[in-house]
Amino acid sequence: MTTTLITTPTFARHSAHPWQILEEAGAGPLRPRADAALPNAELLAHAARADALIVGMDPITAEVLDAAPRLKVVAKHGVGVDTIDVAAAHARGIPVVCAPGSNSRAVAEYSFGLLLSATRSLTASHTAVESGDWPKLFGPELHGKTLGIVGFGRIGRLLAGYARAFGMHVLAHDPYVPGDDVRAHGAEPAALDDLLARADAVSLHSPPDPSGTPLLDSARLAAMRPGAILVNAARGGLIDESALAALLRSRHLGAAALDAFSTEPLPADHPLRKAPRALLTSHMAACTPEANRAMGAMVAEDVVRVLAGEAPHHQAR
């Protein structure tokens, strides 16, 4: 019997199948908290029992790996593995697996929803009506506007299709995707600074820099087209959030719709909480039943493979 320590409260939330995969393989699922992620002290305390880890946004550091002498595999219940020290895991002979593509449609749909809501002030209108007001808030149509997509993988390509259906022109920046592939998906390849200068709206879909340097620092945010809208349903480390708040207050930027932040949950004194025209949500772009079922099954199956001495299907590099 082996033990799979599950730290993410959303694992198997919408389907018992991932749980059954582990149980039937004798991989002893253990979830100390069903309603929240484990604080680091609890994670370290439970790690000693773990043959496998299934994690969400938990920082899986070298310290955590060293606290788990039986550990054979780390599984990200999702796609991005930037919160896991993959190099440290590999140095210890521990593969890291994830669920690529499992939440792409969920995140792409949500990103376009954030763009629509920010453009037409949907949440501001709701809040005003709820409080007894009845405002007429104007916002531009998307037809004929330019959307810049930074990161042109599965999510970016889906988003480009939604944008084209609304009659938008799409620019895409991704240093790892050839220009011909970008054009084949209906977008125009663009250098990052060119994209920022031309786009009426920018949506981020790339991983953060391992150094922690924001992709959109204060200079790049200031170089965005006046009145532009910024959407981020990827990672918080991509943006200088204090600079973004200042540019919203100065009205240089039209709006920001964000689902990911450098610190989560968002601190009470965070400058974006008080910034005008900021739409803030709780890192929930991937939260659909369909994505949840797919993520859970993919990572559970790979955990079972590794524990059985087999190679995983979806190993992170």
Side-chain angles (χ1 to χ4, degrees):
M1 183 73 173
T2 55
T3 298
T4 302
L5 175 61
I6 300 168
T7 69
T8 172
T10 61
F11 179 78
R13 179 172 290 183
H14 288 277
S15 171
H17 182 54
W19 204 268
Q20 292 165 354
I21 292 171
L22 297 175
E23 289 180 331
E24 289 172 5
L30 167 66
R31 178 158 55 190
R33 292 194 179 199
D35 58 343
L38 287 183
N40 191 62
E42 289 187 35
L43 174 58
L44 291 171
H46 288 288
R49 304 170 54 188
D51 299 280
L53 274 175
I54 297 178
V55 303
M57 294 301 295
D58 317 72
I60 304 303
T61 61
E63 180 187 22
V64 174
L65 298 172
D66 288 340
R70 294 167 42 178
L71 192 63
K72 298 178 180 65
V73 59
V74 178
K76 172 62 183 286
H77 187 242
V79 177
V81 295
D82 50 285
T83 57
I84 300 170
D85 191 335
V86 177
H90 288 173
R92 292 160 174 76
I94 301 168
V96 176
V97 303
C98 58
S102 58
N103 62 15
S104 298
R105 191 168 300 280
V107 176
E109 289 182 358
Y110 193 88
S111 298
F112 201 76
L114 288 176
L115 174 60
L116 280 170
S117 185
T119 302
R120 297 301 305 274
S121 303
L122 301 187
T123 54
S125 178
H126 166 80
T127 300
V129 171
E130 191 176 47
S131 66
D133 202 357
W134 195 256
K136 301 296 183 185
L137 305 179
F138 280 69
E141 298 175 7
L142 295 180
H143 181 85
K145 303 300 189 299
T146 296
L147 173 64
I149 300 175
V150 180
F152 208 61
R154 294 180 181 91
I155 297 169
R157 294 175 187 194
L158 285 168
L159 183 62
Y162 303 153
R164 292 197 313 275
F166 272 68
M168 301 187 78
H169 178 66
V170 180
L171 303 174
H173 171 75
D174 192 318
Y176 304 104
V177 178
D180 287 346
D181 287 353
V182 172
R183 294 184 191 93
H185 288 85
E188 175 190 344
L192 179 57
D193 291 337
D194 180 49
L195 179 151
L196 295 175
R198 295 170 58 193
D200 300 291
V202 175
S203 190
L204 304 181
H205 300 284
S206 61
D209 191 297
S211 71
T213 302
L215 179 68
L216 300 190
D217 57 15
S218 58
R220 279 190 165 141
L221 288 169
M224 288 177 66
R225 189 170 184 172
I229 293 170
L230 179 60
V231 175
N232 181 21
R235 290 289 186 266
L238 292 168
I239 300 170
D240 182 329
E241 294 167 351
S242 295
L244 174 59
L247 289 167
L248 288 169
R249 288 194 298 270
S250 72
R251 305 192 72 85
H252 175 74
L253 293 181
L258 310 176
D259 186 55
F261 306 90
S262 297
T263 301
E264 297 179 359
L266 198 64
D269 60 351
H270 195 284
L272 282 170
R273 283 185 176 270
K274 299 295 185 181
R277 301 173 308 285
L279 169 57
L280 314 175
T281 63
S282 53
H283 208 141
M284 53 184 271
C287 293
T288 67
E290 296 87 351
N292 185 261
R293 286 193 291 267
M295 283 189 289
M298 288 174 72
V299 298
E301 287 167 359
D302 262 353
V303 162
V304 168
R305 286 189 189 93
V306 174
L307 293 179
E310 301 172 10
H313 286 333
H314 306 291
Q315 184 166 351
R317 302 297 176 186

